[in-house]
Amino acid sequence: MLTMLLNACQPKTAATLQVQLLWQGQPIDCQSNLMLGGQSWQLQQLQFYLSNFSQHQQPLLLQPNEYQSEQLALLGTDCQSKGQWQLQFATPLQHAPLTFELGVPFVLNHQNPLTAGIPLQQLDMHWAWQSGYKFFRLDLNGQQHDWSLHLGSSGCSSASVMRAPTKPCVAPNRAQIQLPYQGQSTLTLDLAALFGDFIPAADNSCMADPASLSCQQLLPALGIEGTHKVWALRP
């Protein structure tokens, strides 16, 4: 009862949270030139799943639409359309820490995208029933070669790649993020903070393999086995 009263007294804000992609603090899109290692790169695709939203340790449900169910949202763009750049909640956010996960929950992750519900039908965001979905897909086009970071669960065991595992994968690769929410209207993702001093090359794409040196350098910035560097809330 006391918790309910305290929550009721908290100031509330909008039920919509805008999402913005940044490079060194500046907004970017699929036409922007990103300088890495002295070379110019452009986005081919950036899409990611966010889930398990909560405040005050209480679940926050999303407002279902073509990009999100009550528990899960697909954000970003495939650079063929404007994409989805906002989260719509069923109730207004409160002035309190906002917690969410980068990734698809285990109970939803290992299914057939041809029969899955919103927003899990996109085929290029899925590996196989065994390994599940790509939680975060970043594809860059460079002057000499392309480069990719595809994050999902790894070390998943089942009878075949067409069978879903019955227990969590060795490396679930879901990142839990907590940010202070004080009425900010925009959740930002800064790709420059993801790369740091990492230079993309023809042989160092990251495909969620924990033994890969590139993944070991990049994934902590997303919040996997490390403190995230890319996420922030801004007015």
Side-chain angles (χ1 to χ4, degrees):
M1 177 64 73
L2 179 59
T3 300
M4 293 176 62
L5 290 173
L6 290 173
N7 289 348
C9 293
Q10 292 287 333
K12 295 182 178 180
T13 54
T16 298
L17 184 63
Q18 301 298 323
V19 181
Q20 189 169 62
L21 183 62
L22 304 178
W23 182 265
Q24 297 177 338
Q26 299 301 312
I28 59 171
D29 57 26
C30 293
Q31 284 70 51
S32 301
N33 291 316
L34 315 178
M35 295 304 298
L36 276 168
Q39 296 186 49
S40 177
W41 299 80
Q42 284 189 316
L43 285 175
Q44 287 184 315
Q45 183 171 349
L46 174 66
Q47 290 183 280
F48 52 95
Y49 287 104
L50 298 184
S51 61
N52 290 331
F53 295 89
S54 66
Q55 286 188 307
H56 294 298
Q57 298 182 332
Q58 298 298 315
L60 277 176
L61 297 181
L62 297 167
Q63 183 65 46
N65 59 35
E66 61 180 317
Y67 295 103
Q68 58 185 46
S69 65
E70 288 187 334
Q71 294 86 22
L72 178 69
L74 176 61
L75 297 157
T77 179
D78 60 3
C79 289
Q80 304 299 313
S81 63
K82 65 179 181 179
Q84 172 66 359
W85 296 102
Q86 66 177 16
L87 291 160
Q88 295 181 329
F89 293 92
T91 56
L93 297 172
Q94 299 178 358
H95 287 232
L98 174 65
T99 301
F100 59 89
E101 283 188 350
L102 170 65
V104 178
F106 177 75
V107 295
L108 299 174
N109 191 34
H110 303 277
Q111 56 181 309
N112 184 351
L114 296 177
T115 57
I118 293 172
L120 294 169
Q121 313 99 320
Q122 190 170 319
L123 296 180
D124 65 1
M125 289 295 290
H126 186 265
W127 269 319
W129 291 358
Q130 185 182 67
S131 51
Y133 286 84
K134 301 174 184 180
F135 304 157
F136 184 96
R137 175 170 182 159
L138 171 62
D139 296 319
L140 298 178
N141 175 253
Q143 296 169 317
Q144 300 176 3
H145 56 82
D146 295 342
W147 184 91
S148 297
L149 188 164
H150 295 178
L151 172 67
S153 294
S154 62
C156 308
S157 298
S158 62
S160 74
V161 294
M162 300 301 291
R163 297 287 184 89
T166 58
K167 59 182 180 180
C169 305
V170 174
N173 288 336
R174 295 178 185 87
Q176 187 173 86
I177 313 299
Q178 186 176 87
L179 299 170
Y181 182 85
Q182 295 295 331
Q184 296 94 330
S185 61
T186 304
L187 172 66
T188 62
L189 168 63
D190 196 323
L191 285 183
L194 168 65
F195 286 99
D197 58 3
F198 180 89
I199 299 176
D203 60 352
N204 69 359
S205 288
C206 169
M207 294 293 159
D209 180 2
S212 162
L213 293 178
S214 57
C215 290
Q216 291 174 13
Q217 185 171 347
L218 293 165
L219 297 190
L222 289 172
I224 306 295
E225 301 295 329
T227 302
H228 73 86
K229 299 178 180 178
V230 301
W231 309 101
L233 282 169
R234 297 188 174 189

